[in-house]
Amino acid sequence: MLDCAIIGGGPAGLTAGLYATRGGLQNVTMFELGMPGGQITQSSEIENYPGFFEHDKTGMDFMNSWQEQCFHFGLKHEMKKVERVTKVDNHFVITIEGGEQVEALTVITCTGSTPKRANFNGESEFFGKGVSTCATCDGFFYKNKPVTVLGGGDTALEEAFYLSNICSDVYVVHRRDEFRAAPPTLERIKRKENIHLITDSVIEEAYGGMMGLDGVKIKNTKTDEITDMANSGLFVFVGHNVNNSVLQDENGEFICAMNDWGQVIVDLTMKTDVAGLFACGDMRIQAPKQVISAAGDGAVAALQVISYIQELS
Ligand code: FAD
Ligand code: NAP
């Protein structure tokens, strides 16, 4: 029986493993379907993690430096995809892809969330090189420059507002002429002079070269007119998929409380409403979706796991 099974090996999972093992737990395994590191390994740079300010280093370089430390105190890693977590009596059964089952006293899930793609030409080619899904991460790279935002939901408009305080102009491109975002949010956006709403429009193409994105072509779906937005970064906010399938039972029902958007409901200590089950990082409610906050969540969850196990004995 594991003391703790950690599911997901991004910043939250690695940090949870570091704190759990350094805090004295002997038998902790982190299940990660690929190489540890998480989403940030897709980024060409990171400059908002205190203590790491090296402009020539990628997200992959950044996470490589975590591995040695996080595994040093005894965290075990299995490169396996978890299918499901089930609570049985006072412990959990972890079902791995292929059918193998592992038992654990506690579980920390931190499988992250994945921004949806809009599927326009150049989106994948320039993802992380000018096409971004994170204003907090990348907005500063466009200080006093124009940016384009794609999407008409709450996230797109809230992030457009955030960007409008950094960038010279924010062009919000939305495929319809009505916005999905809450009306007060839309009204606030309309009052901001440097935010420009471009409706009934889609991104026809993101273009650039070896150095990254050079601009975007916006197409009006009613007139077919193309507007070339040169020298603009592009932020895509067309929704998120929360990677929450490990918390669904065989009938597709969630084993713990979730909100309407599929995020795990936790308290400030990362506890779910199931004793012994913790969730942290990008998959939890109100996640700031940053490396530093995911890592902080992982530490909090691991400390709670240690207390929980102490109380069992
Ligand atoms: P993730 O990093 O998403 O890790 C989850 C892990 O779980 C993944 O490795 C995944 O493979 C694994 N997993 C999923 N399902 C399963 C399963 N069923 N079984 C086993 N393993 C599973 N943040 C910043 O602070 N600064 C930045 O500059 C920044 N830039 C970014 C740039 C890009 C291109 C992207 C995509 C993100 C960026 N972020 C940045 C956001 C940051 O990467 C995330 O907030 C952070 O990685 C979330 O950590 P996490 O551990 O919660 O989840
Ligand atoms: P969302 O509500 O699903 O909105 C996605 C937006 O992207 C929509 O405007 C959609 O257009 C557009 N879109 C989707 N696919 C596209 C494509 N391929 N090309 C171009 N545009 C595309 O997602 P979200 O904004 O991330 O919000 C998710 C949930 O979280 C929502 O329920 C939202 O209310 C909630 N949320 C709440 C708050 C808050 O309360 N403060 C903040 C953020 C998010 P259409 O409108 O035409 O479909």
PDB file of all heavy atoms in Angstrom, residues 143-164:
ATOM      1  N   LYS A 143       4.735  44.492 -23.958  1.00  0.00           N
ATOM      2  CA  LYS A 143       4.565  45.789 -23.273  1.00  0.00           C
ATOM      3  C   LYS A 143       4.600  46.913 -24.315  1.00  0.00           C
ATOM      4  O   LYS A 143       5.517  46.980 -25.146  1.00  0.00           O
ATOM      5  CB  LYS A 143       5.689  45.971 -22.250  1.00  0.00           C
ATOM      6  CG  LYS A 143       5.452  47.143 -21.309  1.00  0.00           C
ATOM      7  CD  LYS A 143       6.418  47.072 -20.138  1.00  0.00           C
ATOM      8  CE  LYS A 143       6.422  48.327 -19.304  1.00  0.00           C
ATOM      9  NZ  LYS A 143       5.141  48.659 -18.710  1.00  0.00           N
ATOM     10  N   ASN A 144       3.571  47.760 -24.289  1.00  0.00           N
ATOM     11  CA  ASN A 144       3.426  48.897 -25.210  1.00  0.00           C
ATOM     12  C   ASN A 144       3.360  48.488 -26.675  1.00  0.00           C
ATOM     13  O   ASN A 144       3.660  49.291 -27.565  1.00  0.00           O
ATOM     14  CB  ASN A 144       4.551  49.921 -24.999  1.00  0.00           C
ATOM     15  CG  ASN A 144       4.537  50.472 -23.588  1.00  0.00           C
ATOM     16  OD1 ASN A 144       3.464  50.617 -22.996  1.00  0.00           O
ATOM     17  ND2 ASN A 144       5.696  50.761 -23.020  1.00  0.00           N
ATOM     18  N   LYS A 145       2.984  47.254 -26.925  1.00  0.00           N
ATOM     19  CA  LYS A 145       2.799  46.794 -28.311  1.00  0.00           C
ATOM     20  C   LYS A 145       1.358  46.319 -28.471  1.00  0.00           C
ATOM     21  O   LYS A 145       0.691  45.988 -27.484  1.00  0.00           O
ATOM     22  CB  LYS A 145       3.749  45.627 -28.615  1.00  0.00           C
ATOM     23  CG  LYS A 145       5.209  46.029 -28.634  1.00  0.00           C
ATOM     24  CD  LYS A 145       6.049  44.810 -28.921  1.00  0.00           C
ATOM     25  CE  LYS A 145       7.525  45.161 -28.830  1.00  0.00           C
ATOM     26  NZ  LYS A 145       8.361  43.988 -28.692  1.00  0.00           N
ATOM     27  N   PRO A 146       0.883  46.219 -29.721  1.00  0.00           N
ATOM     28  CA  PRO A 146      -0.488  45.725 -29.913  1.00  0.00           C
ATOM     29  C   PRO A 146      -0.569  44.204 -29.811  1.00  0.00           C
ATOM     30  O   PRO A 146       0.393  43.513 -30.163  1.00  0.00           O
ATOM     31  CB  PRO A 146      -0.829  46.175 -31.342  1.00  0.00           C
ATOM     32  CG  PRO A 146       0.490  46.273 -32.027  1.00  0.00           C
ATOM     33  CD  PRO A 146       1.516  46.628 -30.987  1.00  0.00           C
ATOM     34  N   VAL A 147      -1.683  43.708 -29.321  1.00  0.00           N
ATOM     35  CA  VAL A 147      -1.922  42.259 -29.306  1.00  0.00           C
ATOM     36  C   VAL A 147      -3.338  41.970 -29.801  1.00  0.00           C
ATOM     37  O   VAL A 147      -4.213  42.837 -29.739  1.00  0.00           O
ATOM     38  CB  VAL A 147      -1.758  41.627 -27.901  1.00  0.00           C
ATOM     39  CG1 VAL A 147      -0.319  41.633 -27.448  1.00  0.00           C
ATOM     40  CG2 VAL A 147      -2.662  42.284 -26.875  1.00  0.00           C
ATOM     41  N   THR A 148      -3.519  40.753 -30.278  1.00  0.00           N
ATOM     42  CA  THR A 148      -4.836  40.291 -30.695  1.00  0.00           C
ATOM     43  C   THR A 148      -5.273  39.198 -29.732  1.00  0.00           C
ATOM     44  O   THR A 148      -4.449  38.374 -29.324  1.00  0.00           O
ATOM     45  CB  THR A 148      -4.764  39.724 -32.137  1.00  0.00           C
ATOM     46  OG1 THR A 148      -4.251  40.744 -32.991  1.00  0.00           O
ATOM     47  CG2 THR A 148      -6.125  39.287 -32.631  1.00  0.00           C
ATOM     48  N   VAL A 149      -6.547  39.221 -29.350  1.00  0.00           N
ATOM     49  CA  VAL A 149      -7.121  38.195 -28.468  1.00  0.00           C
ATOM     50  C   VAL A 149      -8.230  37.502 -29.249  1.00  0.00           C
ATOM     51  O   VAL A 149      -9.059  38.171 -29.869  1.00  0.00           O
ATOM     52  CB  VAL A 149      -7.698  38.848 -27.188  1.00  0.00           C
ATOM     53  CG1 VAL A 149      -8.638  37.906 -26.457  1.00  0.00           C
ATOM     54  CG2 VAL A 149      -6.576  39.301 -26.269  1.00  0.00           C
ATOM     55  N   LEU A 150      -8.257  36.175 -29.223  1.00  0.00           N
ATOM     56  CA  LEU A 150      -9.333  35.440 -29.893  1.00  0.00           C
ATOM     57  C   LEU A 150     -10.275  34.852 -28.850  1.00  0.00           C
ATOM     58  O   LEU A 150      -9.836  34.171 -27.916  1.00  0.00           O
ATOM     59  CB  LEU A 150      -8.744  34.313 -30.760  1.00  0.00           C
ATOM     60  CG  LEU A 150      -9.792  33.453 -31.485  1.00  0.00           C
ATOM     61  CD1 LEU A 150     -10.566  34.269 -32.523  1.00  0.00           C
ATOM     62  CD2 LEU A 150      -9.134  32.248 -32.165  1.00  0.00           C
ATOM     63  N   GLY A 151     -11.583  35.074 -29.025  1.00  0.00           N
ATOM     64  CA  GLY A 151     -12.584  34.479 -28.125  1.00  0.00           C
ATOM     65  C   GLY A 151     -13.564  35.521 -27.629  1.00  0.00           C
ATOM     66  O   GLY A 151     -13.251  36.725 -27.600  1.00  0.00           O
ATOM     67  N   GLY A 152     -14.745  35.059 -27.228  1.00  0.00           N
ATOM     68  CA  GLY A 152     -15.770  35.993 -26.773  1.00  0.00           C
ATOM     69  C   GLY A 152     -16.379  35.585 -25.448  1.00  0.00           C
ATOM     70  O   GLY A 152     -17.451  36.054 -25.076  1.00  0.00           O
ATOM     71  N   GLY A 153     -15.694  34.706 -24.695  1.00  0.00           N
ATOM     72  CA  GLY A 153     -16.198  34.268 -23.394  1.00  0.00           C
ATOM     73  C   GLY A 153     -15.625  35.110 -22.262  1.00  0.00           C
ATOM     74  O   GLY A 153     -14.898  36.090 -22.490  1.00  0.00           O
ATOM     75  N   ASP A 154     -15.933  34.714 -21.035  1.00  0.00           N
ATOM     76  CA  ASP A 154     -15.437  35.459 -19.870  1.00  0.00           C
ATOM     77  C   ASP A 154     -13.920  35.483 -19.818  1.00  0.00           C
ATOM     78  O   ASP A 154     -13.316  36.512 -19.490  1.00  0.00           O
ATOM     79  CB  ASP A 154     -15.972  34.818 -18.573  1.00  0.00           C
ATOM     80  CG  ASP A 154     -17.410  35.195 -18.317  1.00  0.00           C
ATOM     81  OD1 ASP A 154     -17.701  36.396 -18.294  1.00  0.00           O
ATOM     82  OD2 ASP A 154     -18.243  34.289 -18.169  1.00  0.00           O
ATOM     83  N   THR A 155     -13.289  34.342 -20.123  1.00  0.00           N
ATOM     84  CA  THR A 155     -11.832  34.307 -20.045  1.00  0.00           C
ATOM     85  C   THR A 155     -11.226  35.286 -21.045  1.00  0.00           C
ATOM     86  O   THR A 155     -10.339  36.078 -20.694  1.00  0.00           O
ATOM     87  CB  THR A 155     -11.304  32.879 -20.323  1.00  0.00           C
ATOM     88  OG1 THR A 155     -11.944  31.987 -19.425  1.00  0.00           O
ATOM     89  CG2 THR A 155      -9.807  32.788 -20.152  1.00  0.00           C
ATOM     90  N   ALA A 156     -11.691  35.251 -22.289  1.00  0.00           N
ATOM     91  CA  ALA A 156     -11.123  36.130 -23.319  1.00  0.00           C
ATOM     92  C   ALA A 156     -11.251  37.596 -22.907  1.00  0.00           C
ATOM     93  O   ALA A 156     -10.287  38.374 -23.010  1.00  0.00           O
ATOM     94  CB  ALA A 156     -11.817  35.890 -24.655  1.00  0.00           C
ATOM     95  N   LEU A 157     -12.428  37.981 -22.411  1.00  0.00           N
ATOM     96  CA  LEU A 157     -12.622  39.401 -22.089  1.00  0.00           C
ATOM     97  C   LEU A 157     -11.875  39.798 -20.817  1.00  0.00           C
ATOM     98  O   LEU A 157     -11.310  40.894 -20.741  1.00  0.00           O
ATOM     99  CB  LEU A 157     -14.105  39.728 -21.985  1.00  0.00           C
ATOM    100  CG  LEU A 157     -14.909  39.566 -23.284  1.00  0.00           C
ATOM    101  CD1 LEU A 157     -16.197  40.388 -23.241  1.00  0.00           C
ATOM    102  CD2 LEU A 157     -14.138  39.950 -24.533  1.00  0.00           C
ATOM    103  N   GLU A 158     -11.826  38.909 -19.837  1.00  0.00           N
ATOM    104  CA  GLU A 158     -11.069  39.251 -18.615  1.00  0.00           C
ATOM    105  C   GLU A 158      -9.574  39.347 -18.921  1.00  0.00           C
ATOM    106  O   GLU A 158      -8.873  40.237 -18.422  1.00  0.00           O
ATOM    107  CB  GLU A 158     -11.336  38.216 -17.517  1.00  0.00           C
ATOM    108  CG  GLU A 158     -12.737  38.363 -16.937  1.00  0.00           C
ATOM    109  CD  GLU A 158     -13.014  37.409 -15.779  1.00  0.00           C
ATOM    110  OE1 GLU A 158     -12.099  36.708 -15.339  1.00  0.00           O
ATOM    111  OE2 GLU A 158     -14.169  37.392 -15.323  1.00  0.00           O
ATOM    112  N   GLU A 159      -9.092  38.442 -19.751  1.00  0.00           N
ATOM    113  CA  GLU A 159      -7.654  38.473 -20.096  1.00  0.00           C
ATOM    114  C   GLU A 159      -7.350  39.667 -21.002  1.00  0.00           C
ATOM    115  O   GLU A 159      -6.273  40.252 -20.918  1.00  0.00           O
ATOM    116  CB  GLU A 159      -7.240  37.159 -20.761  1.00  0.00           C
ATOM    117  CG  GLU A 159      -7.417  35.927 -19.893  1.00  0.00           C
ATOM    118  CD  GLU A 159      -6.622  35.970 -18.603  1.00  0.00           C
ATOM    119  OE1 GLU A 159      -5.412  35.770 -18.641  1.00  0.00           O
ATOM    120  OE2 GLU A 159      -7.222  36.231 -17.548  1.00  0.00           O
ATOM    121  N   ALA A 160      -8.305  40.032 -21.856  1.00  0.00           N
ATOM    122  CA  ALA A 160      -8.122  41.224 -22.701  1.00  0.00           C
ATOM    123  C   ALA A 160      -7.973  42.462 -21.806  1.00  0.00           C
ATOM    124  O   ALA A 160      -7.138  43.332 -22.060  1.00  0.00           O
ATOM    125  CB  ALA A 160      -9.302  41.394 -23.649  1.00  0.00           C
ATOM    126  N   PHE A 161      -8.768  42.496 -20.742  1.00  0.00           N
ATOM    127  CA  PHE A 161      -8.685  43.628 -19.812  1.00  0.00           C
ATOM    128  C   PHE A 161      -7.312  43.672 -19.151  1.00  0.00           C
ATOM    129  O   PHE A 161      -6.675  44.715 -19.049  1.00  0.00           O
ATOM    130  CB  PHE A 161      -9.794  43.512 -18.754  1.00  0.00           C
ATOM    131  CG  PHE A 161     -10.078  44.813 -18.073  1.00  0.00           C
ATOM    132  CD1 PHE A 161     -10.996  45.702 -18.605  1.00  0.00           C
ATOM    133  CD2 PHE A 161      -9.398  45.171 -16.917  1.00  0.00           C
ATOM    134  CE1 PHE A 161     -11.241  46.928 -17.994  1.00  0.00           C
ATOM    135  CE2 PHE A 161      -9.628  46.391 -16.301  1.00  0.00           C
ATOM    136  CZ  PHE A 161     -10.553  47.266 -16.833  1.00  0.00           C
ATOM    137  N   TYR A 162      -6.849  42.505 -18.704  1.00  0.00           N
ATOM    138  CA  TYR A 162      -5.510  42.415 -18.089  1.00  0.00           C
ATOM    139  C   TYR A 162      -4.449  42.921 -19.081  1.00  0.00           C
ATOM    140  O   TYR A 162      -3.579  43.726 -18.735  1.00  0.00           O
ATOM    141  CB  TYR A 162      -5.245  40.955 -17.693  1.00  0.00           C
ATOM    142  CG  TYR A 162      -3.853  40.693 -17.169  1.00  0.00           C
ATOM    143  CD1 TYR A 162      -3.563  40.827 -15.815  1.00  0.00           C
ATOM    144  CD2 TYR A 162      -2.821  40.317 -18.033  1.00  0.00           C
ATOM    145  CE1 TYR A 162      -2.282  40.592 -15.340  1.00  0.00           C
ATOM    146  CE2 TYR A 162      -1.544  40.081 -17.561  1.00  0.00           C
ATOM    147  CZ  TYR A 162      -1.275  40.220 -16.212  1.00  0.00           C
ATOM    148  OH  TYR A 162      -0.008  39.991 -15.747  1.00  0.00           O
ATOM    149  N   LEU A 163      -4.553  42.476 -20.329  1.00  0.00           N
ATOM    150  CA  LEU A 163      -3.557  42.855 -21.344  1.00  0.00           C
ATOM    151  C   LEU A 163      -3.621  44.353 -21.656  1.00  0.00           C
ATOM    152  O   LEU A 163      -2.598  44.974 -21.964  1.00  0.00           O
ATOM    153  CB  LEU A 163      -3.792  42.047 -22.631  1.00  0.00           C
ATOM    154  CG  LEU A 163      -3.429  40.560 -22.548  1.00  0.00           C
ATOM    155  CD1 LEU A 163      -4.025  39.779 -23.716  1.00  0.00           C
ATOM    156  CD2 LEU A 163      -1.910  40.387 -22.507  1.00  0.00           C
ATOM    157  N   SER A 164      -4.815  44.928 -21.541  1.00  0.00           N
ATOM    158  CA  SER A 164      -4.973  46.350 -21.901  1.00  0.00           C
ATOM    159  C   SER A 164      -4.188  47.262 -20.952  1.00  0.00           C
ATOM    160  O   SER A 164      -3.915  48.413 -21.278  1.00  0.00           O
ATOM    161  CB  SER A 164      -6.451  46.749 -21.903  1.00  0.00           C
ATOM    162  OG  SER A 164      -6.939  46.799 -20.576  1.00  0.00           O
TER     163      SER A 164
END
